Amino acid sequence: MKRRRWNPATWVSLVPNGLGQVKPNHYWEIVRTVWENRDNLGKAWRILNEGVCDGCALGTTGLRDFTMKGVHLCTVRLNLLRLNTMPPLDVHRLHDVSTLHHLNGRALRALGRLPYPMIRRRGERGFRRIGWEEALHEIASYMRNTDPRRIAFYVTSRGITNETYYVAQKVARFLGTNNVDNAARLCHAPSTTAMKQTLGVAASTCSYRDWIGTDLLVFIGSDAPNNQPVTTKYLYYAKQHGTRIMVINPYREPGLERYWVPSVFESALFGTRLADRFFQIHTGGDIAFLNGTLKHLIERNWLDREFIEAHTRNFAEVQATLAQQSWAELEQASGATQAEMLAFAEALAQAKSAVFVWSMGITQHEYGVENVKAILNLALARGFIGREYCGVMPIRGHSGVQGGGEMGCTATTFPGGRPINTESARWLSEQWGFTVPDWKGLSCGEMLDAAAAGELDVFYAVGGNFLDTMPNPDYIRTALGRPRLRVHQDIVLTTQMLVDPAETVILLPAATRYEQRDGGTETTTEREIIFSPYISPPPAEARSEWEILLNVAERTQPERAHLIHFSDGQQIRREIARIVPEYEGIQHLQRAGDHVQWGGRILCRDGHFGTPDGRAVFTPLTPPTMSLPPNMFMLKTRRGKQFNSLIHSERDPLNGAHRDDVLMHPSDADRLGVREGDWVVLRSATGEMRARIKFADLKPGNVQVHWPEGNVLIDAHRRDPVAGVPAYKALVSIHPVKDTVMQETQ
């Protein structure tokens, strides 16, 4: 479709740049970033101009991407820049950790980069500086004297490169354990599981360029303008090409309703209306809504029968299951009406192409795998997989997570997605020259359970902060205090480092991706493997992430060190290409801008799926029961002005909510007898939280609070039974704070 010129029909307002609106101030963010990095502007510029973004997984290389022309820069990347340019912290601040307990994560980060290895033993007030040799000797001593089943490695997604993921999982297996996991577990493990079972592939089947020109772009449980703000430029151009955008979500997200794209003059001036229609459903009502949509498609024969018959199986079972689900049941479970489901079905029927995008609003449920399968059922029924401008996309919020699983940094798969079993372990043992364990390891949540139960002796965390990312912080604090040795390999201080040791805690200073020797690679949501070059040396004694892990393994088993050693990053990339066939070409990436997209623009092209028989698999699904007990609400956590758990502001510029606000529909507030701005107490079976009422266009009966603040209300053991991802939601009661003095104190 030919691109339109300026389109006043999409404008938000004639007021220039949305003055007076609740919206991000992108130009002020640029000024603030320059000021924050004024002591290291040269490095900051080289990172932006040459490096691969360490924010979300859209994958800009320098100031460009692979989807459209022009400068591509977002506030997430600007907010993260200071982590890469700030000077080392004064290690004297760590001599007494009691002086740090009152600081939150943002304040701890502001102290500066970790410059030297540090150690703290049981009973000591704080950390003292040690040399690398002493630190490695200490860790190796614990490793050698510990049953490998009682050792666990966790790798976050904070700018982590494919090289580091690959080395981390290889080191774990070299030391005899499959207890290794990464941050993708908390986000898209249900997507990986469902897509592998249904399509035979565990990654986005299309590319970002397919957004621009598709007839229909559907966001389900995703607030891309908040978590991946660069996408708003794609959405602007999609609208210019005639794409309709529809959103399925409990909350009418302001950022998806309208946005001012700063790098597009028309949008920066007048704003852009993005979503053509919202379908507001209950939290957890996705399966019922999507089942109802599919039921309409079947009853009206709005299906791609030819595609279904030629390229799929089990559709008859789905059809039979849906025939048994009444409209009354689907309406009650979804929170939407039969007419709304019909409207969405009609949009799909009228579209010749569609792309489905989802995120943690879909995956972070105890039935996250089934949620994803409901989306896949719908896409398959219309034949919207395997061709241009069509596909399914679990959009990644972090620059490292796509590669983490593909490098085998999980407890359930080896590199390349090979299942952990005797056959795969034997093959990998032959490739590596040492015995690889063939037993299923512990996932992230299971590691913490084992730690809490006293069944973990060594816990090695590369980045991350479980106190902020996992449900029920009190439980997590207990778990972190149980292993004999905790190792935190990171670039800055976090609150979990300050948890008192059972015996020993060691901090290891790491380099960022821009300081990684020989550069490194990232894999984006659309499967682009991009090379990010070395920019500058790390501060003080910090070392590249993969080198630290190698040092630990080589010191632990020096007699076998030659079996694990890599001399440089290029050697790692050559081995990745050999062990993970999809990554063929990574060994040739050496300069800024080098990239290769594994699988090409489209996966499952022409209906050829990666399943054993080459056919996609429909799954019969029964919606979960969604009835609320009297005077109870379904609470879900959400993101604000933050990146993962790194909070950048106390106020969300997209909706004006503060970190201690609870979003609620005005009708629910009336029922409770509270007004906007009133303080309330939210109580769940796990804990309680004080919050302030903020009105929002949210499905009545549902409320939202910020994450991680709301984690005190979440049950740490409520997880998807297949993928292991926590369900970041809870049934809560809400109680007004009547005491005037308490109101004023709050």
Side-chain angles (χ1 to χ4, degrees):
M1 182 178 294
K2 187 177 180 180
R3 180 188 162 191
R4 302 169 182 169
R5 299 194 176 187
W6 279 21
N7 183 9
T10 66
W11 293 355
V12 177
S13 169
L14 294 178
V15 178
N17 198 230
L19 294 176
Q21 298 265 4
V22 177
K23 60 177 287 292
N25 190 332
H26 301 95
Y27 305 113
W28 168 244
E29 293 272 5
I30 293 173
V31 172
R32 186 177 59 81
T33 298
V34 172
W35 178 254
E36 282 183 345
N37 294 275
R38 63 191 182 279
D39 58 348
N40 210 344
L41 283 175
K43 182 176 181 179
W45 171 247
R46 291 195 301 276
I47 288 172
L48 292 178
N49 192 50
E50 302 172 32
V52 172
C53 176
D54 55 350
C56 76
L58 270 73
T60 56
T61 174
L63 297 173
R64 300 289 188 273
D65 66 14
F66 310 109
T67 304
M68 62 185 62
K69 296 179 180 179
V71 172
H72 219 164
L73 182 64
C74 76
T75 54
V76 169
R77 192 176 183 192
L78 293 176
N79 294 151
L80 292 174
L81 189 57
R82 187 57 177 163
L83 289 176
N84 300 285
T85 67
M86 62 186 174
L89 63 81
D90 178 359
V91 294
H92 292 93
R93 295 294 303 269
L94 293 175
H95 289 176
D96 184 351
V97 298
S98 66
T99 65
L100 302 175
H101 284 311
H102 69 285
L103 300 179
N104 59 23
R106 191 179 181 190
L108 288 174
R109 294 195 303 275
L111 295 178
R113 293 279 298 277
L114 284 173
Y116 311 110
M118 307 288 288
I119 191 170
R120 182 189 179 197
R121 299 192 188 277
R122 182 178 180 178
E124 295 179 343
R125 296 174 63 87
F127 292 86
R128 62 179 174 85
R129 177 181 170 181
I130 56 175
W132 273 104
E133 288 303 307
E134 183 180 349
L136 294 171
H137 174 79
E138 187 79 19
I139 297 169
S141 178
Y142 273 99
M143 293 284 190
R144 277 194 297 269
N145 294 291
T146 300
D147 180 344
R149 290 180 181 266
R150 297 176 68 90
I151 298 173
F153 289 83
Y154 173 82
V155 187
T156 188
S157 60
R158 180 252 315 132
I160 299 295
T161 60
N162 290 324
E163 291 80 1
T164 296
Y165 279 125
Y166 185 82
V167 170
Q169 60 82 32
K170 187 174 182 180
V171 163
R173 276 124 192 174
F174 176 80
L175 296 175
T177 186
N178 280 325
N179 297 335
V180 58
D181 207 358
N182 73 87
R185 174 74 52 188
L186 304 181
C187 304
H188 274 298
S191 302
T192 301
T193 301
M195 293 179 71
K196 189 70 174 177
Q197 293 175 354
T198 302
L199 309 178
V201 298
S204 171
T205 67
C206 59
S207 302
Y208 296 128
R209 72 198 79 171
D210 293 300
W211 290 22
I212 304 169
T214 187
D215 287 348
L216 192 63
L217 185 54
V218 183
F219 288 90
I220 312 176
S222 172
D223 182 13
N226 190 325
N227 301 303
Q228 299 95 1
V230 175
T231 60
T232 57
K233 191 171 183 179
Y234 301 163
L235 298 182
Y236 167 82
Y237 284 114
K239 297 286 289 186
Q240 295 300 95
H241 282 77
T243 296
R244 299 180 69 200
I245 299 173
M246 295 192 174
V247 181
I248 303 169
N249 206 47
Y251 179 36
R252 192 179 179 97
E253 294 284 356
L256 277 167
E257 190 164 26
R258 81 287 187 276
Y259 204 88
W260 286 259
V261 182
S263 58
V264 178
F265 184 69
E266 178 191 14
S267 183
L269 192 60
F270 301 118
T272 303
R273 297 189 186 277
L274 297 177
D276 292 279
R277 180 156 184 180
F278 282 83
F279 296 95
Q280 290 182 267
I281 63 173
H282 286 313
T283 299
D286 307 276
I287 295 174
F289 182 84
L290 298 172
N291 271 11
T293 301
L294 184 53
K295 187 178 176 76
H296 276 303
L297 292 175
I298 292 171
E299 290 179 351
R300 288 159 175 77
N301 198 28
W302 291 340
L303 304 167
D304 189 333
R305 289 283 184 184
E306 183 178 347
F307 181 89
I308 292 171
E309 292 172 7
H311 302 295
T312 72
R313 54 187 167 89
N314 288 4
F315 183 71
E317 288 86 339
V318 170
Q319 191 166 349
T321 298
L322 290 176
Q324 300 301 313
Q325 296 175 11
S326 71
W327 288 112
E329 292 170 334
L330 294 173
E331 286 183 326
Q332 189 275 331
S334 68
T337 65
Q338 181 179 349
E340 288 173 316
M341 298 178 213
L342 176 59
F344 185 50
E346 286 178 324
L348 291 172
Q350 293 165 4
K352 295 181 180 179
S353 58
V355 175
F356 297 81
V357 181
W358 69 90
S359 192
M360 289 174 286
I362 282 290
T363 59
Q364 290 183 337
H365 297 265
E366 63 273 38
Y367 37 81
V369 170
E370 293 182 337
N371 278 348
V372 175
K373 287 185 175 182
I375 298 172
L376 301 180
N377 279 348
L378 206 55
L380 290 170
R382 290 287 298 136
F384 287 151
I385 297 180
R387 52 193 175 92
E388 293 182 353
Y389 306 112
C390 293
V392 289
M393 179 179 286
I395 192 167
R396 304 287 190 168
H398 304 210
S399 63
V401 290
Q402 184 68 42
E406 291 165 353
M407 294 300 98
C409 202
T410 78
T412 54
T413 59
F414 289 133
R418 291 182 176 87
I420 291 182
N421 55 35
T422 302
E423 181 182 354
S424 296
R426 184 184 301 116
W427 179 85
L428 206 51
S429 299
E430 292 172 354
Q431 302 301 312
W432 285 344
F434 57 83
T435 301
V436 174
D438 61 0
W439 42 271
K440 178 182 175 294
L442 300 176
S443 66
C444 171
E446 292 167 337
M447 291 176 188
L448 291 165
D449 291 343
E455 299 169 357
L456 210 62
D457 290 330
V458 178
F459 203 168
Y460 194 117
V462 179
N465 185 355
F466 291 121
L467 284 177
D468 280 351
T469 57
M470 296 298 287
N472 195 344
D474 287 341
Y475 174 74
I476 301 304
R477 187 173 288 103
T478 298
L480 289 173
R482 295 277 169 82
R484 294 171 54 224
L485 170 68
R486 259 187 10 254
V487 180
H488 297 286
Q489 176 178 315
D490 214 329
I491 62 175
V492 292
L493 282 179
T494 64
T495 54
Q496 72 173 2
M497 297 175 180
L498 308 182
V499 174
D500 292 340
E503 289 184 13
T504 306
V505 177
I506 293 177
L507 311 183
L508 300 178
T512 70
R513 69 166 51 174
Y514 310 115
E515 302 156 352
Q516 179 171 300
R517 183 162 65 87
D518 307 309
T521 60
E522 171 206 326
T523 307
T524 73
T525 294
E526 62 176 347
R527 297 170 280 102
E528 284 279 5
I529 308 167
I530 318 173
F531 184 79
S532 186
Y534 171 85
I535 301 292
S536 65
E541 295 181 6
R543 295 183 179 180
S544 296
E545 305 258 26
W546 62 264
E547 289 187 282
I548 299 172
L549 291 158
L550 280 187
N551 295 156
V552 169
E554 292 168 337
R555 180 59 62 89
T556 301
Q557 297 188 16
E559 70 284 357
R560 299 197 304 157
H562 63 286
L563 297 176
I564 192 71
H565 182 74
F566 290 104
S567 59
D568 55 35
Q570 190 59 29
Q571 187 180 359
I572 302 173
R573 290 187 281 277
R574 285 196 296 268
E575 181 166 306
I576 291 172
R578 180 169 61 85
I579 300 297
V580 185
E582 293 85 356
Y583 272 60
E584 169 60 34
I586 189 175
Q587 71 272 33
H588 304 308
L589 308 182
Q590 299 179 356
R591 294 177 298 276
D594 285 356
H595 64 100
V596 61
Q597 186 179 29
W598 75 257
R601 174 175 173 178
I602 302 292
L603 294 184
C604 309
R605 190 175 281 277
D606 301 323
H608 298 294
F609 295 95
T611 54
D613 64 358
R615 288 174 173 263
V617 184
F618 278 96
T619 307
L621 299 169
T622 301
T625 302
M626 296 301 297
S627 58
L628 285 172
N631 302 316
M632 300 292 282
F633 295 84
M634 179 59 73
L635 174 139
K636 192 79 168 71
T637 57
R638 63 176 289 104
R639 305 300 192 267
K641 176 66 172 175
Q642 62 193 99
F643 177 74
N644 191 17
S645 61
L646 306 184
I647 298 167
H648 296 300
S649 174
E650 294 302 309
R651 179 179 177 271
D652 184 349
L654 286 172
N655 64 3
H658 290 83
R659 303 297 307 182
D660 53 4
D661 283 343
V662 53
L663 302 185
M664 174 183 286
H665 193 274
S667 65
D668 287 330
D670 287 343
R671 182 159 54 89
L672 287 173
V674 294
R675 298 168 298 177
E676 187 168 32
D678 284 355
W679 287 93
V680 294
V681 175
L682 287 71
R683 293 197 180 104
S684 71
T686 301
E688 67 176 45
M689 171 187 178
R690 294 185 183 274
R692 183 173 43 206
I693 298 291
K694 180 172 179 58
F695 290 163
D697 192 350
L698 192 66
K699 188 74 177 177
N702 300 267
V703 295
Q704 295 187 0
V705 295
H706 280 113
W707 176 90
E709 288 84 353
N711 283 350
V712 294
L713 301 166
I714 310 299
D715 185 347
H717 297 97
R718 191 177 180 185
R719 305 174 188 138
D720 184 294
V722 179
V725 66
Y728 286 89
K729 64 181 185 181
L731 278 174
V732 298
S733 57
I734 300 179
H735 310 273
V737 175
K738 299 294 186 181
D739 192 304
T740 304
V741 174
M742 187 177 295
Q743 288 269 12
E744 292 175 351
T745 301
Q746 290 292 339

